Amino acid sequence: MNTEIASAGTPEQEAEAVRRAVELLRAGEIVGLPTETVYGLGADAFNADAVARVFESKERPHFDPLIVHLPDVSALKGVADVPDDISKVLNRLIDKFWPGPLTIILPKNPAVPDIVTGGLDTIAVRMSANPVFQKIVKELGSPIAAPSANRFGSISPTSANAVMKELEGRIPLIVDGGGCWEGLESTIIRIEKGLPKCTFHILRSGPVTPEDLRPYGKSVVDGPHVATEKGVIEAPGQLDSHYAPRTPLRLLENPADFKPDPDKTYALLSYRGRVKDGYNRLTDYKRVAVLSPGSGKMPEAAVRLFFLMRELDEAGVDEIIAEPVPERGLGIAIMERLRRAAT
Ligand code: TXA
Ligand code: MG
């Protein structure tokens, strides 16, 4: 199969890209789509055959459930059965964070094909803030099931070119909506009802941080779990090595622990690129990439993380050394990705 990239750079190109994407999605095809977090591999969520193609082309195991992206808030009731006791807090979260990088786990509406949720009785839903994605999903008029557009276990793509590297020959079209402005996958939460406030279990850290959620309830970082009506089980998809470059990556918490092997070549994924942080002079790196040059700003580091991980992966070194970042705010999500890349 020939994979094409449709640019959405000008209004005319965008209209044509939207038209072609919708045409393919209606025909049960799968399409690479830009979102504000990472690129997704989209299928009509109500077309089980199309959703099966998503699993196939990513080589993703069927038990690892997908996120469903809504065209608008009114489409929520078509995919989820919202319990009365969380509807108030849910509406407040939706008002504040949608469209945007917050995915919420809710009881699934039986109308959604089981393949979308890997047979679970819960469903992960969000609404993307990317304007091109929004046009496509509204025009389609049906929710889009979309995992990140990478082969299973590898780094999420934050550009159309990165999707091409992952899935060329496996999908007909990638809509190029430019770079993703968040750069990390959405925050995933499960809501636990409670009085006076609910608890949010963060199953995957992301752009929406525990501080952002604080006005609405208490957050606990739970890590990879799947919520079901009967309780909580482990989320298979989040446990194994993920976001992993092909080149081994070592998260070096303490620079003093590093004993370079003279026969090996190294690249450094640096946080601020500052010598005084103690990493830059540990060895004669073949390549150094800096997440947030100078300033150490977390949004910048987040946006560049996957992009630079890909770049270093292609540098042909034996090992990538990653510097830790401060574990607060967005830094929590970045460290979660680095730890998983390192396992
Ligand atoms: O930002 C994002 O969330 C991107 C863009 C494309 O929207 N999507 C994304 O999808 O990261 P994916 O499939 O790569 O990650 C979805 C995660 C998986 O780890 C899966 O296990 C979890 O969401 N998930 C899906 N449904 C779930 C459920 N019912 N309970 C718990 N976890 C669930
Ligand atoms: Mg993924």
Side-chain angles (χ1 to χ4, degrees):
M1 181 187 298
N2 185 29
T3 304
E4 270 185 68
I5 293 188
S7 169
T10 67
E12 294 75 29
Q13 286 172 333
E14 185 188 282
E16 177 59 12
V18 169
R19 190 194 63 73
R20 286 179 62 199
V22 171
E23 188 176 77
L24 286 165
L25 291 168
R26 285 219 173 101
E29 287 292 345
I30 58 178
V31 181
L33 299 171
T35 86
E36 73 280 41
T37 56
V38 300
Y39 272 71
L41 178 58
D44 178 344
F46 282 97
N47 183 333
D49 291 339
V51 175
R53 278 206 184 105
V54 169
F55 284 94
E56 209 176 289
S57 61
K58 276 189 60 126
E59 297 167 42
R60 178 173 174 128
H62 278 264
F63 54 73
D64 191 6
L66 308 184
I67 294 175
V68 168
H69 302 68
L70 304 176
D72 49 45
V73 177
S74 72
L76 180 61
K77 58 183 181 305
V79 300
D81 295 325
V82 178
D84 287 341
D85 50 14
I86 62 161
S87 76
K88 204 168 142 207
V89 70
L90 178 67
N91 286 333
R92 293 186 67 210
L93 292 175
I94 289 173
D95 279 349
K96 170 73 183 171
F97 297 105
W98 283 9
L102 181 68
T103 296
I104 304 172
I105 309 289
L106 292 167
K108 173 181 173 291
N109 182 320
V112 179
D114 284 333
I115 186 168
V116 173
T117 59
L120 292 176
D121 53 14
T122 57
I123 188 164
V125 282
R126 81 175 190 100
M127 229 168 107
S128 172
N130 181 290
V132 181
F133 188 98
Q134 286 189 353
K135 282 182 187 155
I136 291 168
V137 70
K138 282 185 207 296
E139 177 80 24
L140 181 67
S142 176
I144 292 178
S148 51
N150 49 277
R151 273 174 283 159
F152 184 67
S154 102
I155 306 168
S156 294
T158 51
S159 69
N161 274 336
V163 180
M164 195 59 140
K165 285 200 181 118
E166 291 285 329
L167 299 173
E168 183 168 18
R170 300 175 182 216
I171 60 174
L173 185 72
I174 301 164
V175 174
D176 185 353
C180 302
W181 69 81
E182 299 286 358
L184 295 178
E185 304 88 346
S186 61
T187 304
I188 303 180
I189 64 166
R190 173 173 75 85
I191 304 172
E192 189 196 337
K193 59 176 186 263
L195 284 172
K197 286 209 163 172
C198 290
T199 301
F200 306 126
H201 294 267
I202 299 184
L203 309 188
R204 179 173 73 185
S205 298
V208 174
T209 64
E211 282 125 277
D212 297 331
L213 292 167
R214 189 167 304 141
Y216 310 92
K218 185 179 84 173
S219 292
V220 291
V221 179
D222 253 18
H225 292 92
V226 162
T228 71
E229 297 281 70
K230 295 169 208 79
V232 177
I233 57 167
E234 284 174 338
Q238 294 204 44
L239 287 181
D240 20 36
S241 163
H242 251 69
Y243 319 104
R246 288 177 308 265
T247 312
L249 181 146
R250 188 187 334 177
L251 177 60
L252 189 63
E253 307 257 7
N254 181 0
D257 293 342
F258 186 57
K259 308 272 176 292
D261 176 340
D263 297 329
K264 275 184 157 185
T265 54
Y266 297 95
L268 176 67
L269 183 59
S270 168
Y271 167 43
R272 301 183 292 189
R274 289 191 190 165
V275 172
K276 71 167 188 212
D277 291 339
Y279 288 82
N280 286 41
R281 304 238 167 108
L282 287 176
T283 184
D284 187 14
Y285 300 105
K286 204 172 152 200
R287 191 83 149 258
V288 176
V290 182
L291 287 173
S292 180
S295 70
K297 293 257 163 47
M298 283 302 168
E300 181 181 38
V303 148
R304 289 161 60 82
L305 178 68
F306 289 152
F307 182 80
L308 294 181
M309 267 168 66
R310 272 180 192 277
E311 191 177 289
L312 294 183
D313 200 13
E314 286 163 13
V317 296
D318 295 314
E319 193 173 9
I320 300 168
I321 303 299
E323 241 181 272
V325 306
E327 218 158 354
R328 48 173 191 268
L330 258 179
I332 300 169
I334 294 173
M335 285 295 281
E336 190 182 290
R337 304 314 187 271
L338 286 175
R339 289 210 174 89
R340 222 167 271 156
T343 51

